[in-house]
Amino acid sequence: MKGRIIFLLEEKSMKALLDSFLPRVFSGWMEGQHFLCVPHEGKSDLEKSFPRKLQAWTIPNDRFVIVRDNDAGDCKVLKKRFVILAKSNGGNDPLIRIICQELESWYFGDLSALAAAFDKPSINSQPNRKRFSNPDRLSKPSLEIKRLLPTFQKLGGARNLAEYLNINGNTSCSFNAFFSGVAKVANEMGYKPVT
């Protein structure tokens, strides 16, 4: 067995996204067999829990990816703190990815996916492409998405977007860093993404 990638996540909407997105981009992947998403009850729960999980994990060949929203913090400081926590507990060497600023930033990085997922072509307009050209700089993308889609719900929205997000051309640097990091870990484990 090649092992699985275990995603330790801040919350359930990221799990909803990854459970459908990952099998699309890694052909044949099945949840539980190739990857496992473990949501937490927010930032503090993730931060308290992940060092213990890394230390206690006994399944050989499994690799870890820790994903957390930045939420206007200093992403370099946050990532450094997570690296120190992971090493100080003698756990595995996880891939740590910080989303700038929230998961919704990734959606604004692919306006065509956002428009298709909600059957609202006007979202992918030239003014919006200009306005959201650097989605990682949006201070509260969750509020911006509510302005565009007043009925948007985090879990349902994540499930919808999972079917449309493209691994190429996303303007969110944090999405690209996440995906390239996961693709590298997967490649080291013998898995290849669909391009």
Side-chain angles (χ1 to χ4, degrees):
M1 183 170 160
K2 295 178 180 179
R4 299 173 297 174
I5 299 181
I6 311 299
F7 292 88
L8 302 179
L9 310 169
E10 176 184 329
E11 37 86 23
K12 292 176 185 169
S13 60
M14 176 58 92
K15 175 179 172 35
L17 177 75
L18 293 180
D19 280 348
S20 294
F21 175 73
L22 291 171
R24 270 186 52 233
V25 298
F26 292 95
S27 182
W29 269 25
M30 294 173 53
E31 196 271 332
Q33 183 178 346
H34 300 96
F35 72 96
L36 180 66
C37 292
V38 181
H40 291 77
E41 298 298 322
K43 294 167 199 52
S44 60
D45 182 36
L46 174 63
E47 193 164 338
K48 282 188 267 184
S49 170
F50 88 79
R52 291 192 310 268
K53 284 182 173 75
L54 294 178
Q55 189 173 36
W57 204 265
T58 59
I59 301 170
N61 303 320
D62 282 355
R63 301 277 304 271
F64 288 87
V65 177
I66 301 169
V67 185
R68 182 195 186 274
D69 286 356
N70 187 32
D71 290 328
D74 183 325
C75 60
K76 290 178 181 175
V77 169
L78 178 61
K79 185 174 180 178
K80 186 175 182 179
R81 186 169 79 233
F82 273 45
V83 167
I84 291 167
L85 281 170
K87 288 184 180 184
S88 68
N89 284 282
N92 293 289
D93 185 22
L95 174 68
I96 299 167
R97 288 296 181 251
I98 308 300
I99 300 173
C100 299
Q101 294 299 325
E102 301 170 322
L103 179 56
E104 290 80 4
S105 300
W106 290 5
Y107 307 158
F108 282 113
D110 189 348
L111 287 177
S112 61
L114 189 58
F118 293 95
D119 195 23
K120 194 165 180 183
S122 62
I123 288 175
N124 192 21
S125 66
Q126 180 59 36
N128 280 343
R129 284 193 299 275
K130 184 176 181 182
R131 180 176 174 205
F132 301 119
S133 64
N134 190 346
D136 295 336
R137 291 196 168 207
L138 296 171
S139 60
K140 286 298 280 179
S142 56
L143 295 178
E144 293 288 344
I145 210 162
K146 280 292 215 178
R147 287 187 187 112
L148 286 178
L149 298 161
T151 60
F152 182 85
Q153 298 292 318
K154 285 180 85 69
L155 275 174
R159 285 187 195 104
N160 284 353
L161 265 299
E163 299 303 316
Y164 295 95
L165 274 179
N166 193 328
I167 59 172
N168 301 306
N170 195 306
T171 60
S172 166
C173 292
S174 67
F175 174 84
N176 294 324
F178 168 81
F179 183 74
S180 66
V182 170
K184 182 175 186 235
V185 170
N187 186 52
E188 290 167 358
M189 296 171 74
Y191 300 119
K192 304 272 189 249
V194 177
T195 53

